[in-house]
Amino acid sequence: MTRNQMRRMVLDNGLRVLLAPNPTGASIGMAVHYGVGFRTEPKGHTGLAHLFEHLMIQGGSRSAPDGYLPQVQRAGGLGDAKTRQDVTVYYAAAPASALEMLLDLEADRMRSPLISSQNLRTQTAVIDEEIRLMVRNRPYGAFPWVIPRALHSRPENTRDGYGETVDLAAIDIPLCERFFVDHYGPGNALVTLTGAFEPAEAERLVRRHFDPLPGRPVAPAPDGAEPEPDEDRHLSVTDPHAGLPAVAIGYRMPDPVTERADYLAHVVLAALLGQGRHALLRRGPAAPTGVASLSVGCGLFGLPLDTTGPDLLTLFAVYGGGESGSGGAREGAVAGGVTDALDAALTALAQNEVEPGLLRATAARWAAGALRELGDPSTRAQLLGQREMLFGEAELTERLPELIRTGVTGDQVSRAAARLRASHRAVVRFVPGTGAAATTPAGAATAPGKAVAA
């Protein structure tokens, strides 16, 4: 079986399995995706998906007293987990000899995770510290969470992964146990294996460890359909840790399922605008003046095709120019300079196709970066499993570099630019100073000191 041949299995309990071997290496990657994330967590319990990730990473009942991670590390491996909008994923990389150990540990926590009052108190405190270090005491820590909160209207699409403080404080053991029953059954999970293993032996071991787990019904995901914004949204956030003013801009992306070609054209457009030394907003006549740093990307976490819900194209720029002006006038000028430069670049691309050499170089650089990521078994397992879980298309991960490199035309990029230029957007100014998150338009919510969980 070659690298590009994948084998799918569905066990009697509903567990889906994806085997993607690579016989040339000496290590394996494993990812277990569950179909619940912070966008799909139960109403009134924001932050539960991320908190439960912290509980699950400790391992199953048979992992005590050491826990999951020390056992993986002793075998020469690494493991971690992360919560995204629609999924939570637990992943590891280890020598090929550790395959059965990884499967045993994953089946153990899928059967009966270590949920105790002490564990819950400890992990709630860990998340409190995470929020303090990564959000409240970090310059521009409100980015990127503030963009979906400004641009979207449905509560499911405006959440951040950390959750509301009052909701976190109310999480107890019965709620965690209910969450586990509803969302962590085999029928809501996908196990992905990559790297140096024999498919027949891997199938035998998967069945040995996961077949005994009983199946159970899966709670339906909430409807996250989001209407297109009907006006531009403008917010201002006062950031006591920011030394320089900044601006964040967000747009809705095309639907990744029904508008796949347009979605990929927006990925290339983002790269043309702000990725690489020759990006249009980094140098040349289209670049805004006085900007110290600028980034443009697709996806809330900078990874395209990472959600089935409403996705984002975002720009974030920090001003580093002179000291002319003061207070709101200065920050307003910063935001205006960046938005004017962006609008001019989009207009130019909409009216005239991008220079072919620049398009080829930009697409090739993006594709090369995506291919490099697939060289790591753990990353490959995560990405294959993510696209399989969300779209039923694990192969999309391996086709994506070539789709970007050769499949997006200059005309498609021009149409993507015209679409953005005509779209409503969110513009958020970050103002250095003291105080809480400041001015907000009617109907938009803010919550200072919050961001999306990693």
Side-chain angles (χ1 to χ4, degrees):
M1 183 177 286
T2 66
R3 173 188 173 103
N4 292 322
Q5 290 176 310
M6 300 182 195
R7 178 182 297 182
R8 290 172 169 86
M9 303 161 44
V10 180
L11 305 190
D12 290 343
N13 55 21
L15 179 69
R16 287 161 286 174
V17 181
L18 179 67
L19 305 179
N22 179 10
T24 62
S27 60
I28 54 171
M30 181 173 181
V32 182
H33 288 78
Y34 291 90
V36 63
F38 57 81
R39 195 173 70 90
T40 53
E41 61 198 355
K43 182 179 180 181
H45 300 302
T46 62
L48 178 55
H50 180 227
L51 176 57
F52 200 81
E53 171 216 310
H54 278 242
L55 298 176
M56 281 285 285
I57 197 65
Q58 308 306 309
S61 58
R62 292 194 291 108
S63 297
D66 288 352
Y68 169 81
L69 289 175
Q71 295 184 62
V72 175
Q73 291 164 354
R74 282 198 295 269
L78 299 170
D80 208 341
K82 56 190 175 186
T83 305
R84 293 296 185 254
Q85 294 102 307
D86 304 305
V87 301
T88 304
V89 55
Y90 303 84
Y91 54 93
S97 59
L99 173 60
E100 184 165 15
M101 182 202 72
L102 291 182
L103 291 170
D104 180 51
L105 290 172
E106 288 295 349
D108 182 31
R109 64 178 167 193
M110 190 180 289
R111 179 187 300 106
S112 55
L114 285 171
I115 302 175
S116 66
S117 296
Q118 179 179 349
N119 195 8
L120 179 59
R121 288 193 300 270
T122 299
Q123 296 309 316
T124 302
V126 169
I127 291 175
D128 284 341
E129 182 68 5
E130 201 175 316
I131 295 171
R132 188 182 70 82
L133 291 176
M134 300 301 294
V135 182
R136 291 176 180 156
N137 293 335
R138 183 180 184 179
Y140 318 111
F143 181 81
W145 74 266
V146 70
I147 294 296
R149 188 160 286 201
L151 199 60
H152 299 153
S153 58
R154 290 184 66 98
E156 296 88 349
N157 300 322
T158 62
R159 294 174 184 160
D160 63 82
Y162 287 122
E164 302 296 336
T165 302
V166 65
D167 288 348
L168 281 172
I171 293 174
D172 56 15
I173 294 297
L175 178 58
C176 291
E177 291 174 341
R178 183 77 254 168
F179 187 77
F180 172 73
V181 170
D182 287 346
H183 300 285
Y184 272 76
N188 201 33
L190 168 70
V191 174
T192 303
L193 290 175
T194 65
F197 61 85
E198 289 295 329
E201 175 66 4
E203 179 176 345
R204 183 185 71 82
L205 293 174
V206 166
R207 291 190 181 279
R208 175 182 177 182
H209 291 280
F210 289 94
D211 261 339
L213 275 61
R216 57 180 183 266
V218 176
D223 179 15
E226 179 70 39
E228 292 286 343
D230 56 4
E231 62 179 353
D232 287 355
R233 315 282 174 81
H234 293 269
L235 281 78
S236 180
V237 175
T238 300
D239 190 333
H241 302 287
L244 296 167
V247 61
I249 303 171
Y251 297 89
R252 277 282 297 275
M253 290 273 285
D255 187 279
V257 176
T258 61
E259 301 176 284
R260 178 70 57 79
D262 292 334
Y263 185 101
L264 297 180
H266 281 68
V267 173
V268 175
L269 174 61
L272 284 165
L273 289 171
Q275 300 171 21
R277 290 183 305 160
H278 299 288
L280 299 176
L281 293 179
R282 287 182 177 273
R283 60 184 299 171
T289 59
V291 170
S293 66
L294 180 144
S295 62
V296 183
C298 296
L300 187 62
F301 296 91
L303 178 68
L305 297 168
D306 199 33
T307 178
T308 57
D311 211 351
L312 299 169
L313 185 151
T314 64
L315 176 150
F316 184 74
V318 177
Y319 176 74
E323 297 296 321
S324 59
S326 62
R330 180 189 180 201
E331 282 75 41
V334 172
V338 173
T339 55
D340 288 349
L342 174 60
D343 289 344
L346 291 175
T347 299
L349 286 171
Q351 294 175 349
N352 303 285
E353 285 191 18
V354 62
E355 194 273 317
L358 177 60
L359 176 61
R360 285 194 301 270
T362 300
R365 183 179 62 252
W366 194 100
L371 283 171
R372 281 194 297 271
E373 286 189 322
L374 296 180
D376 174 68
S378 174
T379 301
R380 184 172 177 240
Q382 294 173 60
L383 293 175
L384 289 175
Q386 187 87 346
R387 274 65 184 263
E388 181 72 8
M389 194 75 172
L390 296 176
F391 307 109
E393 297 180 72
E395 293 84 358
L396 177 60
T397 291
E398 295 190 330
R399 296 201 321 265
L400 188 58
E402 191 64 14
L403 288 173
I404 293 293
R405 192 180 72 85
T406 64
V408 177
T409 66
D411 178 65
Q412 288 175 310
V413 172
S414 290
R415 284 190 275 116
R419 178 170 175 162
L420 283 195
R421 189 68 183 89
S423 297
H424 293 296
R425 62 191 176 189
V427 180
V428 182
R429 293 188 297 149
F430 288 80
V431 181
T434 59
T439 58
T440 306
T446 63
K450 296 167 65 61
V452 177

